[in-house]
Amino acid sequence: MTEREYPTALGASSLKTITLLGHDLAEDVMGQVGFGELAFWLATQRRPAPGEIRVFEAVLAALADHGFTPTAIVTRLTYLSAPDSVQGALAAGLLGGGSRFLGVTEDCGRFLDDVLRAHGEPLPADDAGWDALALETVRARREERKLIPGLGHHVHKDGDPRTPRMFRIAEEEGLYGPHLSLFAAIGRVHPQVLGRTLPLNGAGVCGAALADLGLPLELLRAFALLARTAGLIGQLAEELRSPVANDIFLSVDLNNRSIPPEPASGGLHG
C-alpha cells in the first residue's frame, strides 16, 4: 500500500534539522527574521519587501491594544476565574473578535474589495474619480439601510489618530493602493449623504492597508487577532502586577438588583 503524502512549504522536521519556508529554521530564520516579517511570510509564502513589513507591522501595532475593551476585560476575568489556564484567558479574549471589535478589519477590507471588483477596470485615476465612486457607494449603502464598515468610532468621534498615520506610512512606502484610496474617498464624501461627519476608524484603515498588501481577505481578521494576542498578553501581565478583574467582578456582583421575571414575547413556540 502506497503511503500518503502531505506536502507543505511550511515547517518540516528531520532527525537533525528543521526547515521553514524552505530555509533552515535555526540558521536562517532564528535571529535573522523578525516576527512580523515571519508572520507575513508564512501567510503569503513570499518574503515581504521592507516597505511591506513596515506597513504590516504598523497594522499589528495599531490593533494590539485599545484599552479596556470587551476582549481585554473578558481575558482578565477568565484569568481571575481560571488562573491555571492562561490559554483559556487568551482564547476568551480572541473569541470576542467580531463585528464590533477587531472583525471590522476584515469587514472593511472585504467591503472595499467588493466595491472595487464590482467597479472593474479602469479604476479612478484621481481624487475626483475616487470621490465619485465613493459617493455612489455610500448612497447605495444608505438606500440598503446598511452601515459602511470602518466608518465611525465610539470614542474617537473627532478622528481616530491611527487613521491618518496609517495613510502616511502606506504613502511613504509606495503602498497606497486602491483600497486605501477608496476608503479615504469615503471619508471625504460621506457627509454629503449622511448629513454628518464620522471618523474613519483604525480597524477599517488597517483592513484597507492589509488588502492593498495583497493579503488573503479570508485572513484579515486573523491578522487582527494576531495583533490583539500581544495586547492580551500585556493585559494579563498588567493584571498580575495591578489586578482589577476582581474589582470588576465585585462591582457587578455586589450591585445587582432583583427584578420580576419578564418572559420573552413569542417564546419557543411563538
Side-chain angles (χ1 to χ4, degrees), residues 3-262:
E3 292 186 4
R4 295 191 61 177
E5 293 184 346
Y6 300 92
T8 177
L10 302 179
S13 301
S14 63
L15 179 62
K16 295 184 178 180
T17 63
I18 304 172
T19 59
L20 183 63
L21 296 160
H23 293 262
D24 185 287
L25 174 64
E27 297 299 325
D28 301 330
V29 180
M30 294 171 61
Q32 305 293 331
V33 180
F35 184 70
E37 179 181 358
L38 182 60
F40 188 109
W41 196 355
L42 286 167
T44 62
Q45 297 197 10
R46 67 173 181 85
R47 195 160 188 174
E52 292 176 310
I53 298 170
R54 185 175 180 227
V55 172
F56 183 67
E57 292 189 340
V59 168
L60 296 182
L63 299 176
D65 185 79
H66 207 195
F68 280 108
T69 59
T71 58
I73 293 170
V74 73
T75 289
R76 291 189 184 230
L77 289 174
T78 303
Y79 186 76
L80 172 68
S81 181
D84 52 311
S85 179
V86 170
Q87 70 272 24
L90 290 174
L94 295 177
L95 288 172
S99 59
R100 292 187 178 178
F101 292 89
L102 293 177
V104 176
T105 298
E106 177 185 330
D107 296 342
C108 186
R110 283 179 175 270
F111 167 72
L112 296 171
D113 197 73
D114 287 344
V115 173
L116 294 172
R117 289 180 183 277
H119 180 273
E121 299 290 345
L123 293 173
D126 53 25
D127 283 351
W130 284 112
D131 286 357
L133 176 57
L135 194 58
E136 177 185 337
T137 300
V138 176
R139 284 172 174 162
R141 295 290 285 189
R142 180 68 178 268
E143 291 175 2
E144 296 171 356
R145 298 182 180 277
K146 293 181 179 179
L147 299 176
I148 296 175
L151 188 59
H153 196 282
H154 69 290
V155 174
H156 306 301
K157 297 185 182 299
D158 295 327
D160 190 322
R162 298 170 295 177
T163 301
R165 178 61 173 155
M166 185 60 66
F167 280 129
R168 287 198 303 272
I169 292 172
E171 190 168 17
E172 289 167 2
E173 299 300 336
L175 294 168
Y176 196 112
H179 299 85
L180 283 169
S181 296
L182 177 57
F183 194 53
I186 288 172
R188 292 192 296 267
V189 307
H190 76 270
Q192 299 177 43
V193 180
L194 304 184
R196 56 180 177 146
T197 300
L198 298 171
L200 297 175
N201 62 51
V205 76
C206 286
L210 291 175
D212 274 345
L213 288 176
L215 293 165
L217 298 176
E218 298 84 356
L219 295 181
L220 297 191
R221 187 175 304 187
F223 296 121
L225 295 173
L226 173 65
R228 188 52 57 92
T229 299
L232 295 180
I233 292 172
Q235 291 285 336
L236 287 175
E238 186 173 78
E239 181 67 19
L240 290 172
R241 296 190 303 270
S242 304
V244 299
N246 197 56
D247 291 340
I248 295 172
F249 157 59
L250 292 177
S251 178
V252 177
D253 188 54
L254 299 180
N255 291 286
N256 69 78
R257 61 185 180 88
S258 179
I259 62 173
E262 297 181 14

